[in-house]
Amino acid sequence: MTQTQTSKARILVVDDTPEIRLLVTTILQHAGYEALQAADGERALEMVRQEPPSLILLDVMMPGMDGYEVCARLKSDETTRAIPVIFLSALDDTEAQTRGFEAGAADFVTKPISVPVLLARVNTHLALYAQRRSLEGKFRDVIEFAPDAIILSDQEGNIVQANARTLELFGYARNELLGHSAEMLLTPEGRVSHRERRAWVLGQPRGSRIESQARCVRKDGSEFDADVSVSPLHAGRGPLLLAMVRDATNRIAQQEKLREAARYARSLIETSMDPMVLIDLTGKVQDANDAACQITGLPREALIGSDAPSRFTQPEKLYEGYKQVMADGQALNYQLTIKHASGRTYDVLCNAKAFRNGQGEVVGLLASAHDVTESRRIQQEVSMSRQRLREMAAQGEAMREYERKNIAREVHDELGQVLTALRMDLTFTEMRHGSPSSELTDKLREMRGLVDRAIQGVRNVAAHLRPAALDMGLVPAIEWLCSELTRHAAIPCEFRGAPLSTELPEDRAIGLFRIVQESLTNITRYAQASRVLVTLQEQGEELVLEVVDDGQGFDPVQVRSRRSFGLLGMEERALALGGCVDISSAPGQGARVRVVVPLHQASQWRGDT
């Protein structure tokens, strides 16, 4: 504690022994405090009434009025109750200290007095007292300057405290209210019920709050409607009643204007086939049309006055829409779900607009809801049907790949072996019987050439149906495609890709292989490219495939409008793998096909089923 702080603290030392008073006073003054002395309890109480100190050091054993009685009197007085009292006593026993604390003491210092202990206790309690007084001052300021009238009355109904708003609202001076009955602020008709309700409220548990409306009267005799909130308090001076009063004149007038506007709007909103409601600023429904009654299953009488959020399955979402209307003036196509009284729900798109009075003030909002339950059901069915068609297409593609695999195997294994055996027989025949006849030798060579062409044709057909490179994995298969493009179309095609960290299932490898195959086929037919780059890389849990060319490019929107089945096929294959295709191109700027699929997602179909 600084010197500036201690110089402001006044401490009263009460002891019947002059030597102790002098000792303690000297200690306190040396520490920078202002110290006063009193030789007995009566003198101490008189000095406290004249100028209350910040702390009292009080001897317990004094002639006449002892320290316990002095402390009890201090604590019974509202004006001195908060002053901390530290007992100075030679009695160092639990019973004495207990009695002191029961009387209201803050602490004990035993004699003989230890200077460090005394100053430590004094400093601590002065700091606590200053902090408490600061908080109490702030609290009093909050009460005094609150926007609502705050009135504190005792159990007999007499006013013990009133803030500035109370004086302003009722037109009284503070001394005209304090000590008088709170009933003077009510009309004669409301005073009897007030007495009955006061006794009932005082018996309610701490923290209870009872809200009501009352007809109040000012000093000049004018009356007004008020919203009143009362709560019981249990203070040291006995039960108290805290009342908060707010002038409801403007609110009631606004509500009445809103009702008038609602009556005028009835003829307009009742013709709407969509549910329409008028909601005030408190969230209460002020009006509703027949369509609103039908969608909620409630009569208009039950809807009007009810909480609008209670009619929806997600009240918190409605509050967000309400805030949007207050901020932007409207909310369009806001998705909500309305509850019917039967338990059925309706999906709706809500449109709401702020409703203003003649002064331009927002006094509510007008909301309409369009039932989209059936349209969403149809959309879901269409989506499910589309998904089933996609799955069927994927299954069909799987079966085609399976058949291609089998046909390629049959062609390669059966027909290829037969042709190979036939060629061997022709070679053997030529070697054994071709020399005697040149005509026979030429014929055998011609037949062998035809067989060689057939064998090459078998290889080409088998490779087209299912490249053998696929048996070694996706990366070798794509490398084979790139080399084939370079060899047959004379277009340099570079592949960049490292072996994958995990082996892809056959169906997923085939799907990506066919996408690359379709992309390279399109480049061969239309792109007029001079260079092609194919990349395959892992990015986290995704596999990214790109085919880029420097050809003449195209307009993707125009190509899609012509229902290009090549692009559509690539997209469907990617969707079947749980991924997506992005095609970017423009005339004269080449093209990029980018495919992103999950690396570990299970496929929707299997090629070996």
Side-chain angles (χ1 to χ4, degrees):
M1 185 174 293
T2 65
Q3 180 66 28
T4 303
Q5 291 173 318
T6 57
S7 63
K8 295 181 181 179
R10 179 184 295 108
I11 301 175
L12 176 61
V13 181
V14 185
D15 199 300
D16 61 332
T17 304
E19 293 80 8
I20 293 180
R21 289 201 309 272
L22 179 60
L23 172 63
V24 174
T25 300
T26 303
I27 293 172
L28 295 175
Q29 289 176 341
H30 183 73
Y33 295 108
E34 179 183 351
L36 306 176
Q37 299 183 29
D40 54 55
E42 292 289 350
R43 176 57 182 162
L45 292 175
E46 181 181 351
M47 293 178 66
V48 170
R49 283 193 294 269
Q50 291 175 355
E51 192 171 5
S54 301
L55 184 141
I56 300 174
L57 294 174
L58 180 60
D59 185 22
V60 174
M61 304 303 294
M62 294 186 299
M65 186 186 303
D66 63 13
Y68 298 127
E69 185 176 352
V70 172
C71 184
R73 291 193 181 187
L74 290 171
K75 298 304 176 181
S76 64
D77 190 337
E78 185 72 24
T79 59
T80 60
R81 179 180 301 163
I83 300 175
V85 175
I86 299 178
F87 275 128
L88 301 175
S89 174
L91 302 176
D92 188 12
D93 62 85
T94 303
E95 181 179 354
Q97 293 186 6
T98 300
R99 185 180 175 187
F101 287 127
E102 289 176 348
D107 209 339
F108 258 83
V109 174
T110 57
K111 300 176 183 178
I113 295 172
S114 169
V115 175
V117 171
L118 176 65
L119 291 179
R121 302 286 177 87
V122 168
N123 290 339
T124 298
H125 289 288
L126 281 176
L128 292 174
Y129 180 58
Q131 184 181 35
R132 183 167 62 249
R133 292 190 64 181
S134 175
L135 292 175
E136 290 174 352
K138 292 178 181 178
F139 181 72
R140 281 194 298 270
D141 289 342
V142 170
I143 297 297
E144 181 66 16
F145 301 107
D148 293 330
I150 299 178
I151 303 169
L152 197 64
S153 59
D154 58 22
Q155 57 186 341
E156 285 78 28
N158 296 321
I159 299 174
V160 298
Q161 193 56 267
N163 68 345
R165 176 56 182 157
T166 304
L167 310 181
E168 178 186 357
L169 181 61
F170 290 93
Y172 287 96
R174 197 182 302 272
N175 60 354
E176 293 177 313
L177 290 178
L178 299 184
H180 294 79
S181 175
E183 294 179 2
M184 64 186 291
L185 304 179
L186 299 172
T187 60
E189 295 79 8
R191 293 173 184 174
V192 175
S193 61
H194 169 74
R195 285 191 288 270
E196 296 173 351
R197 288 178 60 84
R198 184 178 68 241
W200 177 76
V201 172
L202 287 172
Q204 298 303 305
R206 182 192 301 268
S208 301
R209 186 175 66 177
I210 297 89
E211 297 181 352
S212 62
Q213 291 185 349
R215 188 73 176 169
C216 297
V217 58
R218 300 184 178 91
K219 181 180 178 180
D220 60 8
S222 60
E223 298 180 1
F224 65 95
D225 291 306
D227 295 324
V228 182
S229 174
V230 294
S231 302
L233 297 179
H234 301 282
R237 60 186 301 172
L240 299 174
L241 193 67
L242 177 67
M244 300 182 66
V245 182
R246 176 177 296 178
D247 188 352
T249 304
N250 291 335
R251 178 183 62 78
I252 294 174
Q254 286 182 353
Q255 288 181 342
E256 183 57 33
K257 289 180 180 180
L258 192 60
R259 292 189 186 97
E260 291 179 3
R263 288 191 290 268
Y264 173 77
R266 284 223 55 80
S267 59
L268 299 177
I269 67 175
E270 203 59 59
T271 58
S272 174
M273 299 298 292
D274 289 334
M276 297 185 70
V277 293
L278 197 62
I279 306 172
D280 66 14
L281 294 179
T282 64
K284 303 291 185 182
V285 176
Q286 295 299 309
D287 202 355
N289 65 352
D290 286 340
C293 297
Q294 293 173 8
I295 201 170
T296 59
L298 297 174
R300 182 176 287 106
E301 295 76 16
L303 273 178
I304 294 177
S306 66
D307 287 325
S310 65
R311 307 275 75 85
F312 296 86
T313 59
Q314 297 175 291
E316 67 284 352
K317 189 175 181 181
L318 180 69
Y319 283 122
E320 291 299 323
Y322 181 87
K323 292 178 182 178
Q324 182 179 341
V325 175
M326 293 298 105
D328 303 334
Q330 65 179 7
L332 301 177
N333 294 327
Y334 199 76
Q335 297 185 10
L336 291 169
T337 303
I338 293 180
K339 295 185 295 186
H340 190 272
S342 64
R344 182 181 177 183
T345 59
Y346 295 89
D347 294 326
V348 296
L349 290 179
C350 290
N351 295 307
K353 193 172 183 64
F355 189 82
R356 301 178 183 274
N357 59 15
Q359 291 73 39
E361 300 170 337
V362 177
V363 294
L365 58 89
L366 180 64
S368 64
H370 180 64
D371 186 1
V372 294
T373 305
E374 185 63 19
S375 63
R376 285 192 175 177
R377 184 188 65 79
I378 295 173
Q379 288 177 358
Q380 290 175 355
E381 289 183 356
V382 170
S383 178
M384 292 175 62
S385 177
R386 184 178 299 168
Q387 180 63 26
R388 286 195 293 268
L389 287 174
R390 182 171 289 121
E391 291 174 356
M392 291 174 62
Q395 186 65 26
E397 184 64 28
M399 295 304 298
R400 283 193 294 273
E401 292 291 346
Y402 181 63
E403 290 301 324
R404 287 173 182 167
K405 178 180 178 180
N406 289 336
I407 294 172
R409 184 181 295 130
E410 290 294 328
V411 169
H412 182 274
D413 294 347
E414 297 297 330
L415 186 56
Q417 290 180 11
V418 170
L419 290 174
T420 301
L422 181 58
R423 189 184 188 286
M424 293 174 63
D425 288 342
L426 289 173
T427 301
F428 178 76
T429 302
E430 180 184 0
M431 292 173 59
R432 185 167 184 176
H433 305 288
S435 298
S437 171
S438 60
E439 182 179 355
L440 177 60
T441 300
D442 293 340
K443 189 63 177 177
L444 289 174
R445 290 177 178 173
E446 180 181 351
M447 292 175 64
R448 189 171 60 188
L450 292 174
V451 171
D452 287 340
R453 288 176 57 189
I455 291 174
Q456 186 60 43
V458 166
R459 290 175 178 171
N460 291 339
V461 169
H464 180 74
L465 290 173
R466 176 182 171 81
L470 269 175
D471 295 329
M472 295 184 292
L474 178 60
V475 172
I478 296 178
E479 290 177 336
W480 176 80
L481 280 176
C482 293
S483 65
E484 286 293 293
L485 180 67
T486 302
R487 184 162 61 91
H488 291 291
I491 302 175
C493 182
E494 180 185 358
F495 173 70
R496 297 176 186 173
L500 303 180
S501 61
T502 179
E503 183 178 356
L504 290 178
E506 183 180 16
D507 58 327
R508 296 175 68 76
I510 291 175
L512 292 170
F513 174 83
R514 294 301 182 193
I515 292 175
V516 177
Q517 189 177 47
E518 181 65 31
S519 299
L520 297 182
T521 300
N522 289 338
I523 292 173
T524 303
R525 292 177 179 174
Y526 312 113
Q528 299 180 10
S530 61
R531 186 175 182 82
V532 180
L533 174 63
V534 180
T535 60
L536 179 69
Q537 57 183 334
E538 297 180 34
Q539 293 183 359
E541 295 298 318
E542 293 180 333
L543 192 61
V544 181
L545 170 68
E546 287 190 352
V547 180
V548 183
D549 70 78
D550 61 354
Q552 62 183 0
F554 59 92
D555 183 353
V557 176
Q558 186 178 4
V559 172
R560 290 179 188 276
S561 66
R562 297 202 301 264
R563 300 179 63 83
S564 171
F565 290 102
L567 299 183
L568 181 62
M570 287 191 288
E571 291 176 350
E572 289 299 321
R573 288 182 186 275
L575 287 173
L577 298 176
C580 62
V581 173
D582 177 51
I583 301 174
S584 57
S585 180
Q589 298 183 15
R592 179 189 297 268
V593 176
R594 190 172 192 269
V595 183
V596 180
V597 298
L599 189 60
H600 301 291
Q601 177 175 320
S603 175
Q604 298 179 9
W605 48 270
R606 299 289 298 178
D608 54 357
T609 57

